[in-house]
Amino acid sequence: MTTKQTIPSDEDLTAFIDGELTAEEAARIEAMVKEDESVAERLELLARASLPFKQAFAPLLAEAPREKLQAMLAAIPAQQSARSAASTPAFANRRRFLGALAASLVAGIAIDRAVIGIGARFSAKDENSEWRAVVADYISLYTAETYAGPAPGREDQAAQLAGLDEKLGLSLSPEAVSLPGIDFKRALLLQYDGKALAQIAYLDPETGPMALCIVKSDAGPKAPDLEIRKGMNVVYWSNATHAFMLIGRIPVDRMKELGEDVSKRLSA
């Protein structure tokens, strides 16, 4: 008689992601991931919480209003915080952590995750679809305050973009990545599934943060297309060597226009 294995809890799966299980327990969960699609999907969802937020937000820490945020955090009633901590399971706290992440990082609480694609090895989904989903997860956390402050001048923009060129095998210029009426804020080099991921961040005065993201890809050329992720509009395309996505909350028609325009300039 075969004994049915108990479905692992979110706490077990989170401990597996964090490498906190024994070898025997980890092997049991790995076996269930391979055999049970629902477990694999749940593990991938939880793994999405393990993004490189420290890298993505680190350039902002020097500009952050730490004293103001720390005062706000200190104002939370101690008893209320204690009751919440006592009544909330650990895995629920992990989910709530995402909502408070931006404020936590600005206040100086470091989240040390090395790579974006922790869940990628558990998924057989299309590579280009997967990386766009991961990017949308963390871009959705950005607010207008995330990119507060003056836009860098052209020389600073060119210097930041030059730092991406070697890793991506591209030659990016401020003119090639400019978006009319939208401020260039900064260029960051992140990592997805072991590959360099460029993020060029913008701030639209009406709809808030936007980003143009680029990874190397051999999926082949694809004309610009549109999708919606995390309540944001995404225009994505690819050429023979790279995949691109432009993401933000600008209305669909305007987003398509911007995406098609910047795709032509990057292909020129």
Side-chain angles (χ1 to χ4, degrees):
M1 176 174 163
T2 303
T3 302
K4 185 177 180 180
Q5 296 191 69
T6 303
I7 299 297
S9 67
D10 279 8
E11 290 179 272
D12 291 335
L13 293 176
T14 299
F16 174 75
I17 293 167
D18 291 339
E20 297 173 352
L21 297 181
T22 64
E24 182 180 351
E25 292 169 333
R28 180 180 70 86
I29 289 181
E30 283 204 19
M32 294 192 70
V33 166
K34 294 176 182 178
E35 296 171 3
D36 190 325
E37 185 176 350
S38 66
V39 176
E41 290 178 352
R42 187 62 183 167
L43 180 63
E44 181 181 354
L45 177 64
L46 294 172
R48 292 276 179 83
S50 302
L51 302 174
F53 295 110
K54 182 179 181 181
Q55 294 140 296
F57 283 88
L60 310 179
L61 292 178
E63 304 171 11
R66 293 181 180 225
E67 293 182 3
K68 180 179 178 181
L69 283 165
Q70 287 172 345
M72 290 169 62
L73 292 172
I76 299 173
Q79 288 186 337
Q80 180 180 346
S81 299
R83 285 198 302 271
S84 298
S87 60
T88 306
F91 68 86
N93 280 330
R94 186 181 179 88
R95 307 276 71 76
R96 290 180 182 177
F97 150 83
L98 285 173
L101 181 63
S104 297
L105 279 166
V106 170
I109 301 174
I111 309 300
D112 189 11
R113 282 295 185 185
V115 293
I116 291 176
I118 290 179
R121 66 180 185 273
F122 302 111
S123 174
K125 295 179 181 178
D126 172 67
E127 170 195 340
N128 284 331
S129 174
E130 177 68 16
W131 84 275
R132 294 195 305 271
V134 172
V135 168
D137 276 340
Y138 73 84
I139 294 295
S140 67
L141 299 175
Y142 293 177
T143 69
E145 288 73 24
T146 305
Y147 292 126
R154 189 197 180 284
E155 289 187 5
D156 287 341
Q157 293 181 32
Q160 291 181 34
L161 292 170
L164 308 179
D165 289 347
E166 182 179 352
K167 293 290 186 179
L168 287 170
L170 286 173
S171 181
L172 300 172
S173 68
E175 291 75 21
V177 301
S178 66
L179 301 179
I182 300 170
D183 288 338
F184 176 111
K185 283 297 184 176
R186 57 180 50 86
L188 300 173
L189 183 65
L190 304 176
Q191 183 180 341
Y192 167 75
D193 200 22
K195 297 183 296 186
L197 187 158
Q199 176 192 302
I200 303 165
Y202 308 84
L203 184 61
D204 176 60
E206 296 182 1
T207 62
M210 295 182 62
L212 171 64
C213 298
I214 309 169
V215 293
K216 286 186 176 181
S217 172
D218 57 5
K222 177 177 175 56
D225 204 350
L226 181 74
E227 64 185 2
I228 297 175
R229 292 184 182 273
K230 294 289 186 177
M232 295 174 288
N233 293 317
V234 179
V235 176
Y236 62 97
W237 68 96
S238 60
N239 59 25
T241 55
H242 295 83
F244 306 81
M245 65 180 285
L246 182 66
I247 180 170
R249 294 181 174 83
I250 283 180
V252 170
D253 289 345
R254 177 63 172 150
M255 180 65 83
K256 289 173 64 177
E257 180 182 331
L258 289 170
E260 289 171 1
D261 181 47
V262 74
S263 70
K264 290 175 184 176
R265 281 185 271 122
L266 288 172
S267 300

